Amino acid sequence: MATVSAHVAATLARHISQVFGVMGNGNAHFLNELERTTDAVYTAVRHEAGAVLAADACYRAGGGLAAATTTYGAGFTNTLTSLAEAAQARIPLILVTGEAPRWGRRPWDVDQLALASGVGVRTFTVGRTDSAATTMLAIEHALSYSLPAVLAIPYDVAGLDVGDIPQAPDPLVPPPVAPAGELAVGKVAQIARALVDAERPVLLAGRGAWLAGANEDLGALAAATGAVTASTALARGLFPEQQYDVGVAGGFGADGAMELVHQADVAVVFGASLNQFTMRFGELFSPSARVIQVDLSNVATHPQVGDYLHADAALAARAILAELTALGATSSGWRESVDVAALRQYDAGTGQASDGRLDPRSAARRIAELLPEDRVVVSDGGHFIAWANMYWPVAAPDRMIMIGTAYQAIGQGFPSVAGAARAKPDSTVVLTTGDGGGLMALADLETAVRVAGGRGLAVVWNDRAYGAEIHLYGRKGFAREPMLIDEVDFAGLARAVGAEGVVVRTLDDLVALAEWTRRPVAERPFLLLDLRISGEVMAPYQREVIRVNA
């Protein structure tokens, strides 16, 4: 005989290889079965929020659908910010949690279904006779809608013997949306004709294009049309020919590169939501540009979009390319006529700022020169997000993991390292976090060190403040005291949990990173760089935010 928890664990393990969590009374039966009867890898984290974050990062880094697990009550409520981030970012994951018994709530139970619903997450509650089927429903929901799902196991059901475990079927998920039908086929022809007539075409791709596997198709389309390419922050490195790519569109883009994009007469956008940051608050494209969007949303997502095609990015790109071939189209030659590499250069900074602390631009530039090429960058939220996005190139979109930006949250960094490390076991995982977010996630510094080991590196941008608030409200004359943080010795904290910690006050201090990189992975510890940066240097994207708010 097998218990309800055994049914849940076995069904999950057939579709999920990584589980992250904190053990408690509500998930003890599940974790016991997971460890003893399945091949799933369980990674313990130190805070329940970190369990969801690690599962989230694992998926974003290409590790597939992952699961988090917590107990009921306080264990569950600790996950809510991380669940909200996953929901806002449309990340599929499963949260296996304990639930109140069937006879009613105890003093420490809360309405977990309502709380999950409040952040946009659906709950699937297993019963005595349907535990395997309900588990499959949760998996299908997560994959079909690209959303997290809560799988709740009532306390009095978890250990019940309910018979043999059925063979779980493959999840049913919707097929990709092809540009089929008279209207869609006509729209494909219009897009192809617009690209044929364009003198300065631009292709912009977002995370949806990466998830569709459209990188090679979009590369072929760019080559056929002579288009300059760009990406959103979540799709960096998508286009195969990076010599013609201007990098990230929007506030993270170099001024020269964004001026080039503004010259486009036709821009075709694949799998990107065109949010305010990507669109530079409406100034990315010229008002005279023809902007065409290909996406899976029901309607166009920005007022400047003139033509819209509802379709999978890869299938649409292939259809447009076939139409171009039928038309005998030739390249515009625009991308070969401009020095894209020169236009995407960023300000090198001053080394030391006027207050004597490190210029973050100079530090970011030097760190980029020293980082291992085979890297995954995990970014927490905060003012500092510009520096990695501007100065640290990555090879593909699943190597720039930005957790927290969808929900505007900080404190998401350290546990995310564990998820990325499990997804990319041969790559170096580089965390970029601030001192505020770093302190908030401190419980899982130990998790990052334990899981990533010598493949892990954390860069803490330590400006002794909540930087975004300093730049936005401090300059308006608001009281600065609530925005400040006493300087914390993150290097010392790292050493306390078995890492190597280095305080970086000058560029010369980064020799520690150079030496660490040269050492064999097996012979080096996790490294944390405590960068004592100036709070005077404002990120370009923050200037845009201030301008719009003004």
Side-chain angles (χ1 to χ4, degrees):
M1 296 290 283
T3 66
V4 165
S5 292
H7 281 230
V8 172
T11 306
L12 270 180
R14 288 174 183 145
H15 305 286
I16 289 173
S17 63
Q18 301 290 337
V19 180
F20 306 86
V22 179
M23 186 174 185
N25 197 37
N27 63 346
H29 286 279
F30 167 73
L31 280 174
N32 178 62
E33 298 292 346
L34 189 80
E35 282 285 300
R36 291 187 170 183
T37 65
T38 79
D39 294 327
V41 177
Y42 174 67
T43 301
V45 300
R46 303 308 178 200
H47 193 284
E48 288 89 356
V52 175
L53 291 167
D56 182 329
C58 185
Y59 176 82
R60 298 197 204 202
L65 185 68
T69 182
T70 73
T71 189
Y72 41 63
F76 173 79
T77 56
N78 273 345
T79 69
L80 288 174
T81 295
S82 303
L83 272 180
E85 163 64 21
Q88 294 277 355
R90 304 302 296 266
I91 304 299
L93 61 87
I94 305 296
L95 171 59
V96 182
T97 186
E99 178 58 284
R102 289 170 298 173
W103 63 71
R105 293 183 206 158
R106 301 155 297 183
W108 49 85
D109 287 314
V110 293
D111 190 344
Q112 296 181 181
L113 189 151
L115 290 169
S117 178
V119 296
V121 178
R122 183 175 173 181
T123 298
F124 296 81
T125 304
V126 304
R128 184 174 58 84
T129 61
D130 64 354
S131 47
T134 302
T135 301
M136 281 305 304
L137 287 174
I139 291 171
E140 289 180 348
H141 176 82
L143 294 174
S144 297
Y145 296 99
S146 291
L147 285 171
V150 172
L151 185 61
I153 307 176
Y155 179 68
D156 59 331
V157 166
L160 292 180
D161 287 328
V162 291
D164 295 337
I165 301 170
Q167 180 65 38
D170 291 333
L172 288 176
V173 295
V177 178
E182 184 178 350
L183 183 63
V185 170
K187 188 63 69 176
V188 166
Q190 291 176 27
I191 296 171
R193 175 54 64 184
L195 287 169
V196 167
D197 295 339
E199 296 179 359
R200 298 176 301 281
V202 164
L203 301 185
L204 172 61
R207 178 169 166 265
W210 171 253
L211 293 177
N215 45 318
E216 294 298 330
D217 297 302
L218 290 177
L221 188 58
T225 58
V228 168
T229 63
S231 68
T232 66
L234 298 180
R236 291 186 60 190
L238 181 143
F239 286 96
E241 295 184 278
Q242 286 289 295
Q243 67 269 34
Y244 302 121
D245 191 84
V246 300
V248 179
F252 297 149
D255 288 341
M258 295 304 96
E259 289 171 6
L260 183 69
V261 172
H262 196 72
Q263 296 174 26
D265 54 359
V266 173
V268 187
V269 182
F270 292 86
S273 63
L274 296 180
N275 63 36
Q276 59 185 347
F277 302 109
T278 296
M279 289 295 284
R280 303 193 91 184
F281 297 94
E283 296 184 359
L284 180 65
F285 300 120
S286 165
S288 62
R290 182 176 179 181
V291 180
I292 303 165
Q293 186 178 22
V294 179
D295 201 74
L296 293 176
S297 62
N298 292 326
V299 294
T301 59
H302 194 274
Q304 200 171 350
V305 173
D307 295 287
Y308 182 75
L309 173 62
H310 177 74
D312 173 86
L315 296 180
R318 289 173 208 161
I320 295 167
L321 191 59
E323 185 70 17
L324 288 172
T325 302
L327 291 171
T330 58
S331 169
S332 67
W334 189 41
R335 66 180 188 171
E336 290 84 8
S337 70
V338 291
D339 188 351
V340 175
L343 293 175
R344 63 177 181 231
Q345 295 301 309
Y346 294 105
D347 191 335
T350 59
Q352 302 296 123
S354 59
D355 60 0
R357 292 173 72 91
L358 195 59
D359 186 324
R361 297 167 298 185
S362 304
R365 186 183 180 92
R366 179 58 180 148
I367 289 170
E369 297 169 351
L370 299 173
L371 288 176
E373 285 191 22
D374 183 9
R375 60 177 176 264
V376 178
V377 177
V378 175
S379 179
D380 194 1
H383 173 258
F384 64 87
I385 61 174
W387 311 132
N389 273 285
M390 293 170 68
Y391 292 90
W392 300 352
V394 293
D398 61 353
R399 290 175 174 269
M400 174 57 80
I401 315 300
M402 296 178 64
I403 297 188
T405 55
Y407 193 52
Q408 301 292 291
I410 68 172
Q412 317 292 290
F414 285 124
S416 299
V417 170
R422 292 298 191 216
K424 291 279 194 291
D426 298 320
S427 301
T428 298
V429 180
V430 185
L431 171 66
T432 174
T433 188
D435 50 338
L439 287 170
M440 196 177 291
L442 199 58
D444 279 304
L445 169 58
E446 183 274 337
T447 303
V449 172
R450 168 170 41 88
V451 176
R455 296 188 298 110
L457 165 68
V459 177
V460 181
W461 305 89
N462 190 347
D463 60 358
R464 303 176 296 183
Y466 296 105
E469 285 68 29
I470 284 287
H471 292 300
L472 184 58
Y473 296 107
R475 292 167 189 261
K476 291 183 178 182
F478 282 43
R480 294 172 64 89
E481 286 72 18
M483 310 173 198
L484 301 178
I485 301 170
D486 289 343
E487 189 154 76
V488 173
D489 181 7
F490 282 92
L493 291 171
R495 288 191 289 269
V497 292
E500 179 180 341
V502 178
V503 175
V504 179
R505 292 187 174 88
T506 70
L507 295 180
D508 290 341
D509 293 333
L510 288 171
V511 67
L513 174 57
E515 293 171 351
W516 181 85
T517 303
R518 285 194 292 266
R519 293 161 65 183
V521 172
E523 297 177 12
R524 67 193 190 197
F526 188 100
L527 175 64
L528 185 144
L529 300 177
D530 182 354
L531 270 60
R532 305 297 172 85
I533 63 166
S534 172
E536 295 180 353
V537 182
M538 189 190 306
Y541 85 89
Q542 187 76 57
R543 296 187 186 279
E544 286 189 357
V545 173
I546 290 172
R547 174 179 56 79
V548 170
N549 280 316

